[in-house]
Amino acid sequence: CPRWEEEKKADGVKWTQLEHRGPYFAPLYEPLPDDVRFYYDGKPLKLSLATEEIATFYAKMLDHEYTTKEIFQNNFFHDWRKEMTSEEQEVIQDLAKCDFSEIHKYFVDKSEARKALPKEEKQKLKEEADKIQEEYGYCILDGHREKIGNFKTEPPGLFRGRGDHPKMGMLKKRVMPEDVTINCSRDSKIPEPPEGHKWKEVRFDNTVTWLASWTEKIQNTLKYIMLNPSSKLKGEKDWQKYEVARRLKGVVHQIRAQYRADWKSKDMKKRQRAVALYFIDKLALRAGNEKEEGETADTVGCCSLRVEHIKLHPELDGQEHVVEFDFLGKDSIRYYNKVSVEKPVFKNLQRFVKNKDPTDDLFDGLTVS
């Protein structure tokens, strides 16, 4: 039997024993050598340690298209200035006058030198990484030694986002032990935080599958350290998901017949659901959950489409009943598509948009659930 079929626990209980070392934190910043300088307005300027570290984040990305984008530059400069000393703030007032080229070259050379290391040196580095993996990359879960997926906290840097994310370039600060909540079993050896630090909180919650969590400050989302996909708990989740897919396979023809029938329903909410299901089925659009308050990226899914996200063309490029989609989907990636749809779907969409403003919901009678 697969291990996830071995023993069943009480409802909601995921494990009875969980022991681990906690997350592996990104190493502290090492200052630049004295001969690697930052220049402002053509003159070398010695930066404080915190300011210099953030300057290296930008310098490392100089050959990336991100640093050519105005929103990235503005967000970076705004956050960088907040971390500067008052003396630095007085001097550094224009990103265009900043010269990071020496710092950029230093990191390019460092990367090349690492690639050119002799085989023995590379082997040493691999052994060091393996040692860290051995110490932090495994946990004991109900008597089994399980691999952890992402046991390292993300190093500080500049937020990239995907697509044209409005927060790109903002400063991702270092995750500290004081930000981290640890989850383990009461009878286990509680992981020790790095010297001189303490955990934000220690929990003993066996109804969740994460080992540690913290709040990522830029998008205010929770980040988790979870088990590796090969672990028993992950396998169990996937197994349940595939079981749902297996059940769906047997009834999907009925669902399709139902939504086609509902295109002519007297109930407008049923019509909206039927058209949304058609889009999800045929175009693989995500349903689109409601977003947290304060999320700034205007991303939508099928159920949260607005009138402004579609254009209806009775005829276009030799095809009839064409719907032109244009919106920001998951991770701020633009979805643009022109699709010829069935006539009843097109007629319904014409009804849904009638007398509505561009910012009104297309499916105003619909929720994700």
Side-chain angles (χ1 to χ4, degrees):
C1 274
R3 279 174 48 200
W4 49 87
E5 289 188 34
E6 278 175 7
E7 75 273 6
K8 295 292 173 210
K9 294 184 173 59
D11 263 6
V13 173
K14 308 285 193 230
W15 46 263
T16 50
Q17 180 216 6
L18 176 61
E19 188 169 304
H20 56 95
R21 277 295 312 267
Y24 180 78
F25 290 92
L28 294 173
Y29 175 64
E30 286 182 21
L32 294 168
D34 290 337
D35 59 341
V36 179
R37 287 160 302 203
F38 165 78
Y39 294 84
Y40 186 75
D41 205 11
K43 299 182 186 111
L45 180 64
K46 183 68 180 160
L47 301 173
S48 64
L49 210 59
T51 307
E52 181 186 277
E53 182 180 15
I54 298 162
T56 66
F57 301 156
Y58 192 83
K60 285 174 187 174
M61 295 177 70
L62 276 188
D63 53 6
H64 202 291
E65 67 167 325
Y66 275 111
T67 49
T68 64
K69 294 182 179 181
E70 192 180 352
I71 188 161
F72 189 94
Q73 294 170 352
N74 292 343
N75 285 338
F76 160 71
F77 197 60
H78 175 263
D79 279 8
W80 190 32
R81 278 182 55 79
K82 280 199 294 192
E83 304 301 315
M84 290 176 186
T85 63
S86 50
E87 292 85 354
E88 287 167 338
Q89 283 174 348
E90 271 187 37
V91 177
I92 304 169
Q93 299 202 8
D94 183 357
L95 183 60
K97 291 181 180 179
C98 296
D99 180 355
F100 302 93
S101 55
E102 267 191 29
I103 305 174
H104 173 70
K105 184 180 182 305
Y106 169 74
F107 284 107
V108 169
D109 291 348
K110 205 172 173 185
S111 173
E112 292 303 318
R114 198 178 297 120
K115 285 178 198 166
L117 280 174
K119 201 176 171 184
E120 301 76 42
E121 290 297 317
K122 282 184 178 171
Q123 183 58 31
K124 254 189 218 171
L125 291 175
K126 185 186 179 299
E127 283 166 12
E128 282 169 24
D130 289 346
K131 196 177 167 193
I132 292 168
Q133 167 81 46
E134 195 63 30
E135 191 176 346
Y136 290 89
Y138 292 89
C139 68
I140 303 296
L141 180 84
D142 294 340
H144 294 290
R145 187 170 184 262
E146 297 277 18
K147 199 171 184 184
I148 298 169
N150 52 328
F151 60 90
K152 293 181 178 181
T153 62
E154 240 186 310
L158 302 180
F159 179 71
R160 299 187 183 197
R162 297 189 196 166
D164 287 322
H165 201 288
K167 293 186 173 184
M168 63 164 64
M170 287 176 74
L171 175 63
K172 274 192 316 185
K173 292 193 174 180
R174 185 179 297 277
V175 178
M176 301 301 284
E178 286 73 13
D179 303 318
V180 175
T181 298
I182 293 289
N183 192 32
C184 57
S185 52
R186 282 183 192 279
D187 57 356
S188 70
K189 184 178 185 299
I190 293 168
E192 287 181 23
E195 203 176 330
H197 293 276
K198 58 180 192 292
W199 303 122
K200 180 183 178 183
E201 188 189 339
V202 177
R203 278 192 205 166
F204 311 105
D205 186 353
N206 65 0
T207 65
V208 296
T209 58
W210 53 267
L211 285 65
S213 77
W214 60 91
T215 301
E216 186 268 311
K217 301 291 194 322
I218 289 177
Q219 304 206 83
N220 212 31
T221 53
L222 278 165
K223 294 276 186 181
Y224 297 99
I225 285 181
M226 309 287 268
L227 292 163
N228 186 274
S230 64
S231 71
K232 179 188 167 198
L233 280 178
K234 284 280 187 187
E236 198 166 44
K237 256 190 171 172
D238 287 346
W239 179 57
Q240 288 164 356
K241 196 164 55 183
Y242 295 130
E243 283 305 308
V244 172
R246 239 188 282 272
R247 281 166 44 219
L248 174 62
K249 186 185 167 193
V251 295
V252 71
H253 60 285
Q254 293 167 24
I255 295 170
R256 285 174 176 150
Q258 183 63 58
Y259 74 56
R260 295 177 78 85
D262 283 345
W263 290 340
K264 295 174 185 169
S265 171
K266 290 186 174 128
D267 182 347
M268 191 53 71
K269 284 185 182 181
K270 275 190 182 174
R271 282 192 185 220
Q272 289 191 7
R273 185 182 67 184
V275 172
L277 275 171
Y278 171 80
F279 285 158
I280 289 166
D281 184 17
K282 299 294 178 194
L283 302 176
L285 297 187
R286 64 179 187 140
N289 285 311
E290 286 74 22
K291 289 198 308 206
E292 305 274 321
E293 275 300 310
E295 268 196 53
T296 54
D298 183 21
T299 58
V300 295
C302 186
C303 300
S304 44
L305 285 170
R306 298 191 294 271
V307 173
E308 64 191 335
H309 294 136
I310 66 163
K311 282 182 188 152
L312 301 174
H313 306 281
E315 197 180 335
L316 185 72
D317 301 333
Q319 291 185 302
E320 289 188 321
H321 312 125
V322 174
V323 183
E324 184 179 356
F325 293 90
D326 194 355
F327 61 90
L328 282 185
K330 185 173 168 63
D331 291 326
S332 300
I333 292 171
R334 185 185 182 202
Y335 179 92
Y336 182 78
N337 202 0
K338 287 185 247 185
V339 189
S340 175
V341 299
E342 296 188 42
K343 190 176 178 180
V345 172
F346 193 83
K347 293 283 182 197
N348 271 310
L349 288 168
Q350 286 177 318
R351 288 183 72 168
F352 300 162
V353 301
K354 201 173 178 183
N355 300 324
K356 281 186 185 174
D357 290 328
T359 54
D360 288 343
D361 287 336
L362 177 64
F363 302 118
D364 54 328
L366 199 58
T367 66
V368 172
S369 52

